Amino acid sequence: FSSYRWLFPFASLSLDNNKHVQVFIAFLIMANFSANVIEKQIDPTGNRFPTAFKSLEDMFNLIFLVELLVNMYGHWLKRFWCSSWNIFDFVVVVVGCISLSWFNIELPGPLSLLRTLRAFRVFRLFKRVPSLNKIIVALAAAIPGTLNAFVVLFLFVSICKRPHLSWLRHAARSH
């Protein structure tokens, strides 16, 4: 039974939840983000080193595809698709795989903007690193209170501007 452990989903699930695997995937995500930043800094038009950066992009896309497939296998269907982070991973990886160099697919018109989703791959870190995930959850929880404060401030400014504008008009007429 133990020699066939890789066939069963709990084996890949334990691999996906392994702290060392999570740190390695987080490192890959940061390396991919850094490579994208360096590419745009060194070669913004994509004319100087097209094969080098395309090969690097293809390598990251394939690694993230394998990671996604392991995640899908480990969580099966329902548990995988119930997580919004997994859906986000799926969309970003599929868009990345569409741009693999051996497919040579050019998306038409506005669909070409889907390639910009690859820049959001760094947001996958929020799922991978628990401390970053806590920050995002806290920021999301702060939105309603911040929005309420903004509404109160807007009402206060709207009420106070009326007498101030009247005073400014009066002062402008007297000069």
Side-chain angles (χ1 to χ4, degrees):
F1 178 74
S2 63
S3 63
Y4 297 104
R5 186 176 169 106
W6 64 274
L7 288 173
F8 299 101
F10 57 83
S12 70
L13 180 63
S14 66
L15 176 72
D16 190 52
N17 290 333
N18 185 323
K19 181 180 179 183
H20 298 295
V21 173
Q22 295 293 330
V23 169
F24 180 68
I25 296 296
F27 170 77
L28 286 175
I29 291 169
M30 286 305 298
N32 178 248
F33 183 73
S34 299
N36 288 337
V37 168
I38 290 168
E39 175 188 5
K40 294 304 173 195
Q41 195 69 28
I42 292 175
D43 190 12
T45 59
N47 295 332
R48 290 177 57 193
F49 307 106
T51 55
F53 287 120
K54 188 63 177 164
S55 299
L56 199 59
E57 179 184 330
D58 288 349
M59 179 195 70
F60 281 118
N61 283 333
L62 290 175
I63 290 171
F64 292 134
L65 177 64
V66 168
E67 185 262 336
L68 178 73
L69 292 174
V70 167
N71 191 8
M72 288 175 81
Y73 179 71
H75 291 99
W76 289 102
L77 285 176
K78 185 177 181 186
R79 285 195 333 182
F80 179 83
W81 293 108
C82 287
S83 168
S84 57
W85 283 113
N86 288 338
I87 294 170
F88 177 75
D89 279 354
F90 180 80
V91 170
V92 170
V93 170
V94 166
V95 168
C97 287
I98 287 173
S99 69
L100 287 172
S101 61
W102 58 76
F103 291 142
N104 201 16
I105 297 174
E106 288 298 321
L107 296 172
L111 292 178
S112 64
L113 294 175
L114 287 176
R115 290 176 53 103
T116 59
L117 277 177
R118 293 175 303 158
F120 294 110
R121 198 174 268 160
V122 74
F123 288 126
R124 295 173 68 206
L125 283 176
F126 297 135
K127 177 181 93 170
R128 301 280 174 209
V129 181
S131 57
L132 288 177
N133 196 1
K134 286 180 185 176
I135 292 171
I136 292 300
V137 168
L139 286 174
I143 288 174
T146 307
L147 191 59
N148 288 339
F150 178 74
V151 168
V152 168
L153 181 63
F154 178 76
L155 289 173
F156 180 75
V157 168
S158 297
I159 292 169
C160 290
K161 78 172 184 172
R162 191 79 170 141
H164 184 70
L165 287 176
S166 297
W167 178 78
L168 283 176
R169 268 191 223 115
H170 178 68
R173 286 184 198 146
S174 63
H175 286 286

